[in-house]
Amino acid sequence: MGYIKLISSNRDFAKLWAAQLVSLLGDWFSTIVISALIVSYTEGSGYQGVAVSAFLIARLVPPLLMRPLAGVLADRFNRKRLLIASDILRALAVLGLLFATQSPEYLPLIYVFVVIQFLVSSIFEPARNAIMPSILYRHQLVIGNTLSSVTWSAMLAIGAIAGGLVAEMLGTQAALLIDAMTFVVSALLVVTIVIPDKPRSEIGGSERTARDKSKRTFSDGLRYLIRHPEAAGTLFVKMGISIPSVDTVLIIYGTQVFVLGEGGVVSMAILWAAFGCGAVIGPFITNRFSDDSVRVLRRLIVVGFVVIALGWLFWGLSPSLEILVLAVTVRAMGGSVNWTYSSVVIQQVVPDEYLGRAFSLDFAGFELAHSIGILVVGLLIDAAGSESIQVIVFGSALASLIPLMIWAQIVHSLEKRESKALSVAPELAAGG
């Protein structure tokens, strides 16, 4: 199998993948535990939906504000050192969350340390994505990104279940300690990675040393994207899959609608696990129809948006937790396909010297749309009550058609532009 072959033949990617695996496992431990903790702290308060949404927004808005600087850092400085420093700082931030588990009076501390953790994460993710074309060969990019996306999803499934069980058996503090240790292990793995001077994918290799790194500014990155619509258009995809946001709805369903375990910890873990399983399945299926070309990947992203809309529709029709698990799985399949392929397209069309800034803007668009979606859903839940959650889900199904139509138009425009460029090229050659 290509995935196993990649891990066994490319030791540097294997280490980067292993670092991602262990840190994500801990992340989902703390996500499940902290979500349940906030719900229990705000029970009967009248602002439970906003409190949950605020937790999710604390994971998104600060990194969004940090993105311009994070992208510049990833393109100016040693990306490997940035990853190591990020892991160490995130471990310290998670340890700080231990102080917030004492009583409801410490609820504000949860938001403080979550903000710190995800501010640092905003540097880690663009740097990791920008490193991948350096340690992967061009024909390995789709497999490598699929494996990274699947790892996120698998750790969501495994970490969600494990986090719920650990919280039930050992308590919140044990789950947070495990999360902190995973970042330490991740840093130790990254230390051993060797980053070649010239990207193995040979994408943007000639430009990497051609420009003074001190001139790699945020505005310079924006100018590049304005000149290259094939790169700029792809930045819409991750933004589009967050319209609307799934997180708040999933947490409310797990803790208010189909409840298993104390505070819904078990049912919420099951739903997150279903989301993770769907995200694993999606790219494995669509990779069978891919030839790794940018043109085909863009078209498969259209399919991904269709699957997302169907997932929301099935979600609204779900009469039980068992059926909801299937709906959540379908919704996650489409999102994972689009996340994976948009990253591959960016890595194929953007030169190495711009990759850090391109991925920072890519994540910024996702975080902006996701934050708005989370806030809107949270306000709707508090205004209409959790008994109206089904109506909100059907509204989400309708809203998910908007990014589908926008991306279909983007693909049509890009293909028309590229076809015109191909028809002009032979004429210019003949004229020369």
Side-chain angles (χ1 to χ4, degrees):
M1 194 173 180
Y3 305 96
I4 297 175
K5 182 179 178 181
L6 174 59
I7 293 172
S8 61
S9 64
N10 190 323
R11 296 182 64 184
D12 293 316
F13 175 76
K15 293 170 185 174
L16 184 65
W17 172 74
Q20 178 194 21
L21 188 150
V22 294
S23 63
L24 284 174
L25 175 64
D27 269 349
W28 288 111
F29 263 61
S30 61
T31 298
I32 296 297
V33 170
I34 294 300
S35 297
L37 193 64
I38 290 174
V39 170
S40 67
Y41 279 178
T42 57
E43 186 175 1
S45 65
Y47 58 86
Q48 196 170 62
V50 170
V52 172
S53 295
F55 165 59
L56 298 172
I57 289 173
R59 296 159 56 102
L60 293 170
V61 172
L64 171 62
L65 300 177
M66 184 73 173
R67 289 301 179 191
L69 176 59
V72 172
L73 292 175
D75 284 336
R76 281 194 186 184
F77 298 102
N78 185 293
R79 291 167 180 166
K80 174 180 169 179
R81 292 176 183 172
L82 286 175
L83 295 183
I84 296 169
S86 297
D87 273 334
I88 294 171
L89 291 174
R90 288 191 293 177
L92 295 174
V94 172
L95 288 175
L97 283 168
L98 292 172
F99 293 102
T101 62
Q102 307 302 316
S103 68
E105 288 76 20
Y106 292 95
L107 177 63
L109 275 181
I110 292 178
Y111 300 108
V112 171
F113 286 111
V114 166
V115 165
I116 294 171
Q117 178 184 351
F118 284 87
L119 274 175
V120 178
S121 292
S122 70
I123 299 172
F124 184 92
E125 287 303 327
R128 187 183 69 83
N129 278 271
I131 279 177
M132 289 181 67
S134 292
I135 61 178
L136 291 171
Y137 295 99
R138 190 173 191 128
H139 68 278
Q140 297 175 329
L141 284 175
V142 169
I143 295 177
N145 278 278
T146 299
L147 189 56
S148 291
S149 177
V150 163
T151 297
W152 181 92
S153 309
M155 287 304 101
L156 167 54
I158 297 170
I161 293 175
L165 292 175
V166 169
E168 283 281 309
M169 295 186 296
L170 302 179
T172 299
Q173 293 191 338
L176 293 175
L177 283 171
I178 291 172
D179 187 15
M181 288 306 300
T182 59
F183 287 123
V184 175
V185 174
S186 174
L188 293 174
L189 287 167
V190 173
V191 166
T192 63
I193 296 174
V194 177
I195 311 295
D197 291 332
K198 182 178 180 181
R200 290 173 182 161
S201 64
E202 298 181 351
I203 296 174
S206 62
E207 293 191 56
R208 187 173 185 180
T209 57
R211 294 170 57 86
D212 182 355
K213 288 189 176 182
S214 66
K215 295 179 180 178
R216 297 182 183 184
T217 63
F218 180 68
S219 58
D220 182 42
L222 287 177
R223 284 192 293 270
Y224 170 82
L225 291 171
I226 291 171
R227 295 193 304 268
H228 297 83
E230 71 280 4
T234 309
L235 302 188
F236 171 77
V237 177
K238 289 187 180 68
M239 178 188 297
I241 63 178
S242 351
I243 303 172
S245 169
V246 68
D247 298 45
T248 306
V249 177
L250 190 147
I251 291 172
I252 295 300
Y253 261 86
T255 58
Q256 301 290 322
V257 183
F258 303 120
V259 182
L260 290 177
E262 186 177 353
V265 170
V266 176
S267 51
M268 189 164 51
I270 290 172
L271 292 176
W272 280 120
F275 195 92
C277 289
V280 169
I281 296 168
F284 280 149
I285 294 175
T286 53
N287 278 356
R288 296 176 178 271
F289 304 96
S290 171
D291 62 0
D292 297 354
S293 69
V294 170
R295 184 182 182 91
V296 170
L297 292 176
R298 286 178 185 149
R299 293 184 176 187
L300 287 173
I301 290 172
V302 175
V303 175
F305 276 122
V306 172
V307 174
I308 288 172
L310 290 174
W312 276 117
L313 179 61
F314 296 156
W315 192 322
L317 295 171
S318 299
S320 65
L321 180 62
E322 292 79 8
I323 303 301
L324 178 59
V325 164
L326 295 177
V328 170
T329 300
V330 172
R331 164 60 183 81
M333 288 170 61
S336 180
V337 166
N338 289 5
W339 186 282
T340 302
Y341 291 162
S342 63
S343 294
V344 177
V345 171
I346 291 170
Q347 289 167 353
Q348 289 200 32
V349 303
V350 178
D352 181 83
E353 67 167 299
Y354 291 104
L355 274 176
R357 283 162 288 177
F359 274 113
S360 281
L361 288 169
D362 191 36
F363 291 128
F366 163 73
E367 288 157 351
L368 176 61
H370 203 177
S371 299
I372 293 172
I374 287 170
L375 181 60
V376 169
V377 171
L379 291 172
L380 286 173
I381 290 172
D382 283 344
S386 59
E387 63 274 4
S388 301
I389 190 68
Q390 187 178 33
V391 176
I392 295 172
V393 171
F394 282 127
S396 298
L398 287 174
S400 66
L401 297 176
I402 298 173
L404 167 61
M405 292 185 289
I406 292 174
W407 178 249
Q409 182 58 45
I410 290 173
V411 171
H412 175 72
S413 299
L414 289 174
E415 290 187 353
K416 184 177 180 181
R417 183 175 181 270
E418 289 163 357
S419 297
K420 183 178 180 181
L422 288 173
S423 65
V424 170
E427 297 176 5
L428 292 175

